[in-house]
Amino acid sequence: MRLTFDEDVEKFRAEFAAFLDENLPPEAEATERSRSSAHIPEWARRWQRLLFDEGWLLPGNPPEFGGRGATLLQQYVHLEELSRRGIHRSFNPQGLGIIAASLLSFGTEEQKLKWAVPILRAEITAALGMSEPGAGSDLAGLRTRADLVDGEYVVNGQKVWTSGAHDADVLLTFVRTDPDAPKHKGISVLLIPTDTPGVTRRPFGSIASSEELDFNEVFLTDVRVPAGNIIGEPHQGWNVATGSLGHERTMLWMGFAEQLENLTGQFRPVTELDRDRFATLVMDARALRLMGSAALARAARGEQDVAALSVLKVFGSEAVQTALGHALDAAGTEALDHPARTVPYNHMSSEAFSAGWFERYARSFGGTIAGGTSEIQRNIIAERVLGLPRS
């Protein structure tokens, strides 16, 4: 395998690197941090708008949507350069990577201009209303209902684990519009402004932190939404859902590879067992990078390999969790320390506030859930790779 890129791709990388060198916000300007995944400080809004205007936000998009028509490999080195420097394009990742992407894929031209562009330009932020108390990884089990009455949808139900909802301006909300249809049918998608009467958002803590609030439970009580806010065709929300998660999974493995590679420089093996675990960490990091590069090469040739993304998702998320668990063991009681919240070498990183080993390990469980749980990914691998019958 030749892990190099053609001259045009490296030229693209160099152009982007020069842009970052010239335009990265100074640390003194970027002191305010994001308080949730749908809160963007004003300096970060300016940064995201600059990326959009210069075509560096989502370079694969056309210019009117924050890009420059980049090839897949050019998009990869763009993300690689951001990852290498620890820079985030947006502090509203689900708005950028899932919701705006879904609007561009399934929305009307009017919806793209009214909702997608403001999200991409950080003028508004968005949250994803998908999971429910009785329908987490099983979207088809959702019960939130939307009835069409006089040109409006009247929505009643509840969402949970809705990251950043208390700071978001809009919710991309999955609802049941045909209760008589089979489970996977009869689902639609509505874009609901959070200031609509009847929308109640309640943030709550997590195992990682009871103080830093991002998760929300959202209650929808007789919420009236214009019929024009439906995304895609009525009762075809399952297609939007699979497309939404597809946007999230495409290069998700890169983040796991970066975490593993960073851990190789932070893990301090002492005992023989620690050294064995460190060797596994190094091999996992290299294996994930190689497998991901192979999948990328196939995608660049136009080959569709959904199962490969599932393999990368399971392996990457669980390798990170295992490595953090071993680091937790090696640190002993010191792993329970909560270091002072300080800004490290790069103030643009989402990890700009350092965390103790326990908090990092606790957060790793989210990696095995977001973008499709490990259990669901294993079902896909069983059916599409191993050829096992559907359960």
Side-chain angles (χ1 to χ4, degrees):
M1 181 182 293
R2 186 169 60 92
L3 294 178
T4 57
F5 297 96
D6 292 337
E7 183 178 348
D8 65 313
V9 177
E10 290 298 348
K11 181 179 179 181
F12 186 88
R13 185 205 297 271
E15 184 180 354
F16 180 50
F19 168 84
L20 293 176
D21 290 339
E22 184 175 347
N23 293 284
L24 198 65
E27 185 172 328
E29 178 184 319
T31 54
E32 183 184 0
R33 308 308 305 175
S34 173
R35 62 175 178 255
S36 80
S37 60
H39 168 251
I40 307 178
E42 187 53 43
W43 69 267
R45 290 180 186 265
R46 292 193 297 269
W47 165 246
Q48 187 170 330
R49 281 186 209 117
L50 177 63
L51 289 170
F52 179 95
D53 292 340
E54 297 297 323
W56 290 119
L57 184 66
L58 293 165
N61 285 0
E64 62 268 28
F65 297 123
R68 48 182 60 203
T71 67
L72 182 63
L73 292 180
Q74 288 173 333
Q75 294 173 60
Y76 174 83
V77 298
H78 169 263
L79 290 178
E80 191 175 58
E81 195 65 23
L82 289 170
S83 178
R84 185 180 69 81
R85 298 179 183 226
I87 297 171
H88 269 219
R89 296 166 289 176
S90 174
F91 284 89
N92 181 212
Q94 70 272 16
L96 180 71
I98 301 176
I99 298 162
S102 297
L103 287 166
L104 294 181
S105 296
F106 299 98
T108 64
E109 292 304 312
E110 180 182 358
Q111 290 170 339
K112 293 175 185 179
L113 295 176
K114 183 178 181 180
W115 303 111
V117 170
I119 291 171
L120 293 172
R121 287 180 51 80
E123 294 164 357
I124 63 174
T125 61
L128 182 64
M130 185 175 283
S131 296
E132 297 185 3
S137 59
D138 178 22
L139 177 66
L142 71 83
R143 296 182 179 180
T144 296
R145 181 164 172 168
D147 298 304
L148 188 59
V149 180
D150 298 329
E152 292 182 314
Y153 283 99
V154 181
V155 184
N156 285 278
Q158 181 185 354
K159 299 293 178 179
V160 74
W161 313 114
T162 314
S163 299
H166 60 301
D167 286 317
D169 298 296
V170 294
L171 298 173
L172 188 72
T173 312
F174 288 77
V175 297
R176 189 164 296 284
T177 48
D178 185 354
D180 298 322
K183 285 181 64 176
H184 289 76
K185 307 289 184 181
I187 296 174
S188 299
V189 185
L190 293 173
L191 200 69
I192 304 178
T194 55
D195 60 0
T196 306
V199 177
T200 302
R201 298 161 286 167
R202 296 179 183 170
F204 60 90
S206 69
I207 188 175
S209 174
S210 60
E211 298 177 357
E212 297 177 11
L213 302 180
D214 193 44
F215 289 141
N216 278 250
E217 53 182 353
V218 179
F219 298 91
L220 304 159
T221 307
D222 292 331
V223 177
R224 305 187 75 89
V225 184
N229 282 28
I230 194 167
I231 309 302
E233 296 297 322
H235 318 313
Q236 300 299 313
W238 190 259
N239 295 333
V240 181
T242 55
S244 298
L245 294 180
H247 291 305
E248 188 179 18
R249 291 174 186 154
T250 303
M251 293 189 187
L252 191 60
W253 65 269
M254 287 184 63
F256 296 127
E258 184 72 15
Q259 289 182 66
L260 289 172
E261 288 160 1
N262 287 340
L263 280 168
T264 62
Q266 298 168 355
F267 193 117
R268 294 292 179 266
V270 177
T271 67
E272 188 68 28
L273 177 60
D274 288 341
R275 287 192 287 271
D276 181 71
R277 289 171 168 178
F278 179 77
T280 298
L281 165 61
V282 173
M283 289 187 290
D284 285 349
R286 181 59 59 89
L288 183 60
R289 182 69 69 177
L290 291 173
M291 290 193 300
S293 298
L296 179 70
R298 289 193 294 272
R301 294 193 295 268
E303 301 174 16
Q304 297 294 322
D305 194 348
V306 175
L309 298 180
S310 293
V311 171
L312 290 166
K313 170 64 168 61
V314 171
F315 178 57
S317 63
E318 295 188 357
V320 167
Q321 187 176 86
T322 298
L324 285 168
H326 291 161
L328 190 73
D329 287 342
T333 57
E334 294 181 4
L336 300 178
D337 288 345
H338 292 274
R341 299 291 180 173
T342 56
V343 179
Y345 74 98
N346 194 320
H347 60 284
M348 290 297 295
S349 170
S350 66
E351 299 296 328
F353 294 120
S354 59
W357 285 115
F358 173 76
E359 184 174 340
R360 294 174 68 180
Y361 175 67
R363 290 183 184 278
S364 73
F365 285 83
T368 64
I369 298 171
T373 67
S374 289
E375 292 79 6
I376 295 298
Q377 302 309 311
R378 282 187 166 85
N379 284 346
I380 294 172
I381 295 166
E383 294 167 14
R384 301 195 186 187
V385 179
L386 302 178
L388 297 176
R390 293 179 62 88
S391 58

